[in-house]
């Protein structure tokens, strides 16, 4: 089956620094990738939709200047949390969608636990 | 607009008992429906999905769900709970008409399943 990886799996950073999270589709090309965040004991909230070669579409309430998303290739999307603060601590999950084969299925990465101290 | 409601944020069952996790959806278009399981500090694993074929869908680990359009429901069941079933379960809905352009998933708030030995 399709595999999506995320790196790093866990990261701890100091307040005010920036952190980059990578999301890779390992064995398929992802035309669209989604970024979610999940607070403890809560559901996944969509942050943004990223299409290869174009600007990401952010959900209402998500600061695009704080959460920079780049989808430079069909297998890689990155989320950069700029000037991170403790309230940005969360579990970030990406998913990848392919327009070939199973058109209706997203493949989820294992998540990245971000802790801002 | 699409949304999912999961009734019961916590469900406890005895080992060997029936598991029933409820999911009701709202969608202005024919939906695709999904159930995912999440273990602590891990990503989402697809249990099963409904994509307008058979209304009774069988998934992995003995789970199944039935799509009932008249009740706008997609409840998840398993005849006999196992200790390893203890996890967080998420129901999700997406727009079937956007299957070939990338789907946005809308997740429920999740149900935490506890299995009592």
């Amino acid at each position: 089956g399709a595999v999506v990886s995320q790196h790093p799996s866990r990261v701890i950073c100091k307040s005010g620094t920036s952190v980059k999270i990578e999301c890779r589709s390992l064995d398929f090309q992802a035309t669209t990738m989604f970024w979610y965040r999940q607070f403890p004991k809560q559901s996944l909230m969509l942050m943004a939709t990223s299409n290869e070669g174009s600007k990401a579409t952010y959900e209402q309430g998500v600061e695009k200047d704080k959460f920079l998303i780049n989808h430079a290739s069909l297998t890689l999307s990155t989320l950069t949390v700029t000037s991170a603060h403790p309230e940005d601590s969360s579990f970030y999950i990406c998913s990848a969608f392919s327009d070939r084969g199973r058109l209706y299925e997203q493949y989820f990465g294992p998540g990245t636990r971000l802790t801002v101290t | 607009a699409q949304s999912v409601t999961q009734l019961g944020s916590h469900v406890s069952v005895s080992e060997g008992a029936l598991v029933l996790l409820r999911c009701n959806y709202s969608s202005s278009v024919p939906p695709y429906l999904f159930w995912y399981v999440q273990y602590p500090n891990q990503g989402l694993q697809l249990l099963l999905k409904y994509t307008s074929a058979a209304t009774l869908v069988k998934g992995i680990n003995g789970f199944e769900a039935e799509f009932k359009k008249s009740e706008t429901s997609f409840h998840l069941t398993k005849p006999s709970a196992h200790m390893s079933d203890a996890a967080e379960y998420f129901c999700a809905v997406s727009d079937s008409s956007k299957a070939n352009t990338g789907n946005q998933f809308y997740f429920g708030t999740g149900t935490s399943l506890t299995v009592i030995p």
Side-chain angles (χ1 to χ4, degrees):
Chain A
V3 178
V4 176
S5 70
Q6 282 185 240
H7 179 79
S9 58
R10 291 178 177 269
V11 57
I12 301 173
C13 71
K14 292 186 177 181
S15 185
T17 62
S18 295
V19 175
K20 179 183 286 187
I21 303 170
E22 292 185 349
C23 176
R24 294 181 183 271
S25 56
L26 298 184
D27 51 2
F28 67 100
Q29 293 185 326
T31 51
T32 303
M33 287 185 171
F34 300 87
W35 285 96
Y36 298 84
R37 66 186 300 180
Q38 183 182 30
F39 291 108
K41 305 296 184 182
Q42 295 187 29
S43 186
L44 283 76
M45 298 301 295
L46 180 67
M47 297 175 66
T49 303
S50 167
N51 291 295
E52 186 265 338
S54 62
K55 291 184 178 180
T57 302
Y58 290 82
E59 294 300 299
Q60 190 174 7
V62 177
E63 299 175 61
K64 61 180 181 181
D65 294 330
K66 180 171 185 62
F67 298 98
L68 301 179
I69 292 173
N70 182 279
H71 193 162
S73 76
L74 285 172
T75 59
L76 173 64
S77 176
T78 60
L79 167 67
T80 301
V81 183
T82 63
S83 186
H85 291 285
E87 58 265 30
D88 298 324
S89 297
S90 187
F91 194 52
Y92 292 87
I93 301 176
C94 73
S95 69
F97 170 85
S98 173
D99 64 357
R100 302 182 181 93
R102 301 179 184 179
L103 301 179
Y104 44 77
E105 187 167 345
Q106 291 187 28
Y107 303 96
F108 286 84
T112 296
R113 173 75 60 192
L114 170 63
T115 303
V116 184
T117 61
Chain B
Q2 295 176 296
S3 66
V4 164
T5 301
Q6 290 183 242
L7 295 177
S9 58
H10 293 86
V11 171
S12 293
V13 299
S14 297
E15 189 175 15
L18 171 71
V19 176
L20 171 61
L21 305 183
R22 299 179 186 275
C23 173
N24 288 88
Y25 70 90
S26 173
S27 179
S28 56
V29 298
Y32 284 164
L33 293 158
F34 306 80
W35 275 100
Y36 287 88
V37 61
Q38 184 181 35
Y39 296 98
N41 294 312
Q42 294 187 26
L44 301 181
Q45 180 182 6
L46 180 67
L47 281 176
L48 48 79
K49 57 183 181 284
Y50 166 78
T51 56
S52 72
T55 56
L56 180 62
V57 181
K58 295 186 183 298
I60 63 172
N61 300 339
F63 284 94
E64 64 181 38
E66 186 172 8
F67 172 69
K68 293 186 176 180
K69 184 178 179 180
S70 61
E71 300 177 7
T72 61
S73 68
F74 190 58
H75 301 329
L76 181 70
T77 61
K78 181 174 180 178
S80 177
H82 192 272
M83 295 299 294
S84 60
D85 295 328
E88 190 81 16
Y89 291 80
F90 292 97
C91 182
V93 63
S94 70
D95 182 352
S96 63
S97 68
K98 296 180 180 178
N100 61 343
T101 59
N103 273 316
Q104 176 177 332
F105 278 31
Y106 298 89
F107 286 88
T109 51
T111 297
S112 178
L113 176 66
T114 300
V115 181
I116 303 168

